[in-house]
Amino acid sequence: MQGKKIILGISGSIAAYKAATLCRLLVKSGADVQVLMTENAASFISPLTLSTLSKKNVFSSVVSESAWNNHVELGLWADLFIVAPATATTIAKMAHGICDNILTAVYLSARCPVCIAPAMDLDMWKHKATQRNISLLLESGVMQLPVGYGELASGLYGEGRMAEPEEIVAFAEHFFASENQFKGKKILVTAGPTHEPLDPVRFIGNRSTGKMGIAIADELSRRGAEVNLVLGPTDLQPKSKNVRTIKVSTGLEMYDATKEVFPECDAAIFSAAVADYRPLYAATCKIKKEGESMEVQLVKNPDIAAAMGKIKKPSQITVGFALETDQELENAKTKLEKKNFDFIVLNSLKDEGAGFQSDTNKISIIHRGNKIENYQLKSKENVAVDIADALKLYLLK
Ligand code: CTP
C-alpha cells in the first residue's frame, strides 16, 4: 500500500474508537491517510488523536478558520475512500446525496472507489430504511464490508458491529494488490437476457438483468483486463468506461458477437441467460388475436458456451454459470463437463437473495476434480471479486 492515498471518513458511532487503530495500521502499511470526521465523530474520538496518527490535519467541516477545505480536490486526490465507521445517518446521506458535512461533500466529489464499514445497533442495521440505503449505495458501486456479529454497545447481541480494523486493512491491501493484476489480458463476458422476437412488439425472454455479469466486467476492468462485454437487452450498463460493451438483443446476435471476439481472448465468462429456443418465424407485422389458442414453433438457439468450449485453445480459460432449482450440484457438474469449462459458478434459486433481479447472490464454485468452494450471501459486486479471484488462479498460473 506504499504511497496509496486513502481518505478515512469517520462518522459518529462508538466504533469510532477503532478508527484510531485503523488509521495507525493504514499508515504503518505505507498509505498516505487523510482523515475526515463528522462533528458527531469528534464526540467519540478526538481529532487530535487522528491527526497525530495520520501526521496530517484532520478535516471536520467544509469550512475551517475562514478557509475552505477543498472537498473537490480531496475527492480527486484519493485512490480509495474508506468510511469507517459508517453510521445509519451517514449511509442515508451518502445514498441520497445529502451533502451537509465534509465527509458527505467529499463522497459526492470522489472519483475513486468508495468502501463503507457500517456500524450500528442490530435493529437499526436490519431496518428496511437502512437496507434500502445500503442497496442504493451498492447500486452506485460503493463496496461494503460485512458487519460483524457480537455484543453491541447497547448490550444486545446481533449483527451491526463494525468490521475489525485488521479486516478493513486486509480489504484495502487486496483491493490495491489486485489492481492491474490482469493487465495485458483480454477477457470476454456475456451477460443479460436475450429477447427472441415473436413479432415487432413481442418477444420470449427471461428475468435476467445482467447485473452479475456487469459486476464481473467492472471488476475485471478494475484489475486492468481489456474487457469485452457482450450484453443482452437491459437498462444497466458497466460503470467502468474501459469496458467495451457490445449490445445485442437475440441469442443469435450474442452468438455472432461472441464468436468474433472469443478467439483473441485469454478467458471468457459466460454469465448470460441465453434463451434456449427462439420462435422459428418472427412475424413482420403485429400478430392479431384470432382463435382460442395459438401455437408457436420454437427452434434451438446455439449454445454459445458449448460452441466456444469446442474451439477453445489449451491456453484459454472458460467459466460458466449454472442457475438451478433442483439437483443443483449434479446439474452444474454435468454442465462443467459438457461445455468444457475450467470452472462453473452455481447459484440455486432455492437460496433466498440469489439469482435474477436481486442485488445479492450466493454462489458455489465447482472446479474440475470435484473441488467445491461455497460462499456466503454477498452483494453481486463482492461475488464478482470472488469470481475474479478464482479466475486469477487459472489465468496467472
Ligand atoms: N449458455 C450459453 N448459450 C446458451 C445456453 C447457455 O452460452 N444457449 C451458457 C450460460 O451462459 C451458462 C451456461 O451455458 O454459462 C449454462 O447455462 P444454462 O442455461 O444453465 O444451461 P443450459 O445448457 O441451457 O441448460 P438448461 O437450461 O437445460 O438447464
Side-chain angles (χ1 to χ4, degrees):
M1 296 230 280
Q2 199 59 43
K4 293 293 179 197
K5 302 183 194 93
I6 299 181
I7 294 179
L8 173 58
I10 308 174
S11 58
S13 149
I14 180 61
Y17 80 92
K18 290 189 192 169
T21 309
L22 174 57
C23 180
R24 171 84 191 104
L25 291 175
L26 289 171
V27 169
K28 212 170 144 196
S29 64
D32 189 356
V33 182
Q34 174 62 62
V35 176
L36 310 175
M37 295 174 79
T38 63
E39 249 174 59
N40 286 338
S43 311
F44 288 97
I45 185 161
S46 141
L48 183 62
T49 307
L50 273 313
S51 66
T52 310
L53 290 170
S54 65
K55 305 183 182 76
K56 268 189 192 340
N57 279 340
V58 165
F59 298 129
S60 46
S61 66
V62 180
V63 177
S64 62
E65 288 165 15
S66 73
W68 185 48
N69 289 323
N70 195 338
H71 51 88
V72 177
E73 206 172 83
L74 274 172
L76 299 181
W77 169 83
D79 298 312
L80 179 65
F81 185 0
I82 302 175
V83 183
T87 60
T89 304
T90 291
I91 289 169
K93 286 182 185 177
M94 288 168 72
H96 295 278
I98 296 169
C99 166
D100 64 351
N101 63 40
I102 184 76
L103 193 160
T104 49
V106 172
Y107 167 66
L108 284 190
S109 312
R111 289 198 196 156
C112 64
V114 180
C115 152
I116 56 168
M120 65 199 76
D121 212 58
L122 77 166
D123 294 307
M124 295 169 76
W125 172 246
K126 280 200 185 128
H127 199 282
K128 277 194 180 145
T130 305
Q131 289 306 316
R132 258 199 311 270
N133 290 333
I134 291 279
S135 296
L136 284 174
L137 287 181
L138 293 178
E139 255 169 49
S140 326
V142 170
M143 298 172 281
Q144 185 230 311
L145 282 149
V147 289
Y149 182 94
E151 190 179 2
L152 300 158
S154 59
L156 296 173
Y157 273 80
E159 275 190 330
R161 283 170 66 91
M162 187 178 91
E164 293 304 324
E166 291 75 10
E167 289 168 336
I168 301 174
V169 174
F171 165 85
E173 276 169 352
H174 178 274
F175 176 83
F176 288 119
S178 56
E179 233 184 0
N180 295 326
Q181 187 174 65
F182 293 155
K183 206 168 177 63
K185 301 286 181 196
K186 196 165 175 177
I187 307 180
L188 162 76
V189 181
T190 70
T194 64
H195 287 179
E196 310 299 335
L198 282 157
D199 70 12
V201 290
R202 305 180 180 96
F203 60 83
I204 296 177
N206 59 64
R207 296 180 201 280
S208 166
T209 59
K211 197 173 166 73
M212 188 66 253
I214 291 173
I216 293 170
D218 273 326
E219 176 61 18
L220 297 174
S221 171
R222 190 191 70 73
R223 294 185 189 213
E226 189 188 323
V227 183
N228 284 278
L229 172 67
V230 180
L231 182 63
T234 171
D235 293 336
L236 306 179
Q237 57 182 36
K239 289 177 195 85
S240 165
K241 303 273 172 295
N242 297 328
V243 172
R244 177 175 169 243
T245 306
I246 306 151
K247 293 277 269 176
V248 294
S249 185
T250 65
L252 282 176
E253 286 172 14
M254 189 173 275
Y255 176 64
D256 287 341
T258 302
K259 213 169 49 173
E260 180 106 9
V261 182
F262 180 75
E264 307 142 31
C265 288
D266 299 288
I269 300 184
F270 300 99
S271 73
V274 187
D276 289 333
Y277 295 90
R278 67 178 185 277
L280 177 59
Y281 302 108
T284 47
C285 298
K286 189 181 168 202
I287 300 169
K288 287 291 173 194
K289 178 170 55 190
E290 277 168 0
E292 284 309 303
S293 65
M294 74 176 279
E295 276 176 21
V296 177
Q297 195 181 347
L298 302 175
V299 287
K300 219 177 199 170
N301 256 340
D303 189 319
I304 303 169
M308 299 308 119
K310 282 204 181 101
I311 60 164
K312 95 180 200 196
K313 292 176 258 181
S315 62
Q316 285 181 305
I317 310 299
T318 57
V319 179
F321 267 75
L323 177 63
E324 305 291 339
T325 54
D326 57 303
Q327 293 175 304
E328 294 93 334
L329 204 52
E330 212 178 303
N331 286 335
K333 281 182 188 168
T334 308
K335 283 174 191 172
L336 176 75
E337 289 298 333
K338 220 167 101 189
K339 306 200 189 198
N340 197 15
F341 293 135
D342 290 273
F343 66 89
I344 191 159
V345 180
L346 165 67
N347 28 184
S348 166
L349 275 187
K350 277 189 191 149
D351 287 322
E352 209 179 306
F356 293 166
Q357 293 181 321
S358 162
D359 289 333
T360 52
N361 207 356
K362 187 165 187 286
I363 61 157
S364 299
I365 292 184
I366 302 150
H367 301 264
R368 291 183 163 266
N370 217 9
K371 187 179 145 209
I372 302 170
E373 289 163 312
N374 297 311
Y375 296 82
Q376 310 260 314
L377 182 74
K378 295 180 182 187
S379 69
K380 286 190 171 164
E381 286 75 11
N382 285 336
V383 171
V385 172
D386 292 334
I387 294 170
D389 279 345
L391 180 64
K392 183 188 79 181
L393 302 177
Y394 292 82
L395 207 50
L396 306 184
K397 242 206 284 213

